[in-house]
Amino acid sequence: MFNIDSIANKFRLSYFIFALLLCGAFVSIFLYAESRIEQELVKGRLLQQLDISQEKYGDRSIYTADPGIKIYRYDSAPTNLQITATATVQEKSVTIDGESGKTHGNLHFFAYQQGNQTYILTYLEGVEMVMSHYPVLEIFENLEDIFADTLRVAVILSLLIAAIFSHLSSKQIIKPLLDLKKAVETDHSNLTELTHLPSEVGVLARAIDEKNHKLEQYLKREQLFTGDVSHELRTPLTIIMGAFEVLASQLPADSHLNEFTNRIGTTARETSEIITALLLLSRAPEKLDAPQTSINSIALAEVQRLTYLLRYKTVTCQIVAEQEYSAYVRPELLKMALGNLIKNAFQYTDDGEVTITIDDEKIMVTDTGLGIPEAMMPLLYERFERLTHDYQDEGTGTALSPENDINHKVEGSGLGLSIVQRIMSHMGWQLTHQANPSGGSTFIIYYK
């Protein structure tokens, strides 16, 4: 199948069209030259016949020379010829009454000024002129057929040669591009060989190689940064965890400080898990092992961990699942993704319920909270974008007032959904959002 988007096919098509236009130009020139030569020969023959007729018959209003030649004195010519005839040979279609019935032919005519007298000379094409007195016209008629046949053959051969040449040359033209494509697809192992080419392909290869080098340096810096940060954070986290265990062991069971101590320990463990998840995100997906992980257990654990966000709210939360569902994924990544969605639902819902629904293809987190304004949708997964009073309320179309903004002000940096989307891309899953008719939002994770 002919693919017009292919560079090779575009080149072949353009070359063929060029050849076609070139042939069209030559045919047009040939037809124009043929027409002009024929006009001049006919004009010369008719002027010759005028001289012969005047010499033979004297001054007459109409001269007839068989076959097809008729010369009128201007005042004796048909009215339509008087109106249209000029010094240039013209041609028009006419109907001829003959013995076999009516036929169509072309009438050539022009006006000629001889002294004070004007003549209109006509020649009816389709009737052979007397060639014995005008051999040049006979020769031209024969050459015209030869030239026409030669021109048809030349046009066909030109188009055929153009098609063959464009097919062969296009392969050589796009070969460097194919080599560049192969080099890029094979981890740039052969890209260095192309960077030395002086052609445009060499320029492109050098640009790709330079861009790849910058990306490699950027990824290396990011991996080093992630590794360094995780290493530097694990030491204070270990100290915090150790201090938590010592403090928890020394406090009485009924001490009011146990709540704060447990919060320290929980936060330290969560931070350690977050560091682990971020380290996993910095690695290539194909290099990660993906154990079978229970989705139900992760969802339940995250709901229990984040229940403190609903402490002073009239919000209920439930997990709906017909059975135990699992997926092959690192639990740290699933915990971070699902935890961010549940945390957002808890934070932005002041009344109603939050429902986590799990089935064999998706995980839905539905809330009856503020919802997401239409104005914020293009920035939904952008970093550092959060719902504030600058955005309009989705239900009323009015901006949230500063008072409402204070009521709904929550902690966060606007990175949650951005991280979730990054995790989805890393695992090859899909995250979608839809607004609920009664208010609130539903985020859906389609998992494998």
Side-chain angles (χ1 to χ4, degrees):
M1 183 176 180
F2 187 82
N3 182 13
I4 191 61
D5 294 329
S6 170
I7 295 178
N9 288 337
K10 284 182 178 179
F11 174 79
R12 294 165 187 166
L13 183 61
S14 62
Y15 198 94
F16 186 80
I17 292 176
F18 172 75
L20 192 62
L21 293 175
L22 195 60
C23 290
F26 282 123
V27 170
S28 300
I29 293 172
F30 170 79
L31 294 177
Y32 175 76
E34 176 195 14
S35 176
R36 289 300 306 273
I37 292 174
E38 185 178 19
Q39 288 177 3
E40 294 300 321
L41 291 175
V42 169
K43 187 175 184 179
R45 179 67 182 94
L46 292 177
L47 292 176
Q48 183 186 51
Q49 185 62 45
L50 176 61
D51 294 337
I52 294 173
S53 298
Q54 287 177 335
E55 182 180 350
K56 185 176 181 180
Y57 301 108
D59 186 18
R60 288 187 179 182
S61 59
I62 300 176
Y63 299 104
T64 301
D66 293 332
I69 297 177
K70 187 173 286 189
I71 302 173
Y72 301 92
R73 199 164 56 194
Y74 186 82
D75 54 1
S76 301
T79 304
N80 60 335
L81 292 180
Q82 292 179 2
I83 297 173
T84 58
T86 64
T88 303
V89 178
Q90 301 179 62
E91 180 180 350
K92 71 174 183 178
S93 298
V94 296
T95 302
I96 308 169
D97 293 325
E99 297 178 356
S100 59
K102 293 184 177 182
T103 59
H104 297 280
N106 294 324
L107 181 67
H108 301 264
F109 61 94
F110 70 98
Y112 175 67
Q113 184 74 30
Q114 188 181 55
N116 296 327
Q117 186 64 50
T118 302
Y119 293 92
I120 296 179
L121 296 81
T122 67
Y123 158 55
L124 184 60
E125 187 178 0
V127 180
E128 293 184 0
M129 299 179 68
V130 178
M131 301 295 182
S132 58
H133 300 291
Y134 202 49
V136 175
L137 185 59
E138 181 180 11
I139 294 173
F140 175 76
E141 294 290 344
N142 294 332
L143 289 177
E144 183 181 11
D145 295 334
I146 296 174
F147 286 149
D149 294 337
T150 303
L151 187 62
R152 281 191 289 269
V153 174
V155 168
I156 295 174
L157 286 177
S158 298
L159 295 178
L160 183 61
I161 292 173
I164 296 175
F165 179 78
S166 64
H167 178 74
L168 296 177
S169 59
S170 62
K171 291 184 177 180
Q172 297 300 319
I173 291 175
I174 66 171
K175 184 179 182 299
L177 291 177
L178 296 178
D179 293 339
L180 180 62
K181 172 179 174 293
K182 183 178 179 181
V184 173
E185 290 178 344
T186 55
D187 296 331
H188 321 293
S189 57
N190 301 322
L191 191 60
T192 306
E193 301 176 2
L194 301 177
T195 56
H196 303 294
L197 295 177
S199 62
E200 290 81 357
V201 174
V203 175
L204 184 59
R206 288 190 291 272
I208 294 176
D209 187 57
E210 183 180 356
K211 193 69 175 180
N212 289 337
H213 180 71
K214 290 181 178 178
L215 288 176
E216 289 176 359
Q217 294 297 320
Y218 172 78
L219 290 175
K220 185 176 181 180
R221 287 195 300 269
E222 183 182 15
Q223 290 175 347
L224 290 175
F225 172 77
T226 306
D228 293 342
V229 168
S230 64
H231 177 269
E232 295 301 324
L233 287 179
R234 287 186 185 278
T235 300
L237 284 175
T238 302
I239 296 174
I240 293 173
M241 289 296 297
F244 154 71
E245 293 175 358
V246 172
L247 184 60
S249 63
Q250 294 180 354
L251 289 176
D254 57 350
S255 174
H256 68 282
L257 297 177
N258 283 330
E259 178 182 356
F260 302 102
T261 306
N262 293 334
R263 183 71 183 276
I264 293 173
T266 302
T267 303
R269 285 192 298 269
E270 291 174 359
T271 304
S272 179
E273 292 173 356
I274 290 173
I275 293 173
T276 301
L278 292 176
L279 280 173
L280 294 175
L281 281 178
S282 66
R283 299 176 60 187
E286 62 273 9
K287 295 181 179 180
L288 296 178
D289 59 323
Q292 188 173 8
T293 303
S294 171
I295 300 175
N296 302 54
S297 301
I298 296 292
L300 180 60
E302 288 303 291
V303 169
Q304 293 175 348
R305 179 177 70 87
L306 298 168
T307 302
Y308 72 92
L309 295 172
L310 305 179
R311 184 179 307 169
Y312 305 108
K313 299 180 179 181
T314 56
V315 178
T316 60
C317 177
Q318 62 174 338
I319 299 176
V320 179
E322 296 181 352
Q323 63 183 49
E324 187 75 18
Y325 296 98
S326 61
Y328 289 95
V329 62
R330 287 301 296 254
E332 298 91 341
L333 296 178
L334 179 58
K335 175 182 174 62
M336 177 177 280
L338 195 53
N340 271 292
L341 295 181
I342 296 174
K343 182 178 181 181
N344 285 345
F346 285 179
Q347 286 181 327
Y348 289 102
T349 303
D350 291 335
D351 186 27
E353 63 178 356
V354 175
T355 305
I356 297 97
T357 306
I358 308 171
D359 58 29
D360 59 351
E361 64 176 14
K362 62 183 179 295
I363 309 168
M364 295 193 302
V365 179
T366 305
D367 64 69
T368 58
L370 295 176
I372 299 176
E374 189 67 27
M376 191 179 176
M377 290 306 299
L379 306 173
L380 186 60
Y381 301 113
E382 295 293 329
R383 295 163 63 87
F384 307 112
E385 291 293 336
R386 300 180 64 244
L387 180 61
T388 66
H389 66 276
D390 294 331
Y391 294 103
Q392 290 186 335
D393 181 82
E394 188 175 21
T396 64
T398 59
L400 293 174
S401 65
E403 293 80 5
N404 287 334
D405 181 51
I406 294 173
N407 294 336
H408 296 299
K409 186 173 181 64
V410 293
E411 296 180 356
S413 58
L415 292 173
L417 288 179
S418 175
I419 293 175
V420 175
Q421 183 69 289
R422 184 181 173 187
I423 293 174
M424 294 298 103
S425 300
H426 193 271
M427 297 188 299
W429 292 5
Q430 183 182 3
L431 175 65
T432 63
H433 166 267
Q434 63 185 31
N436 301 330
S438 58
S441 300
T442 297
F443 283 90
I444 306 175
I445 294 176
Y446 292 93
Y447 66 90
K448 295 181 181 180

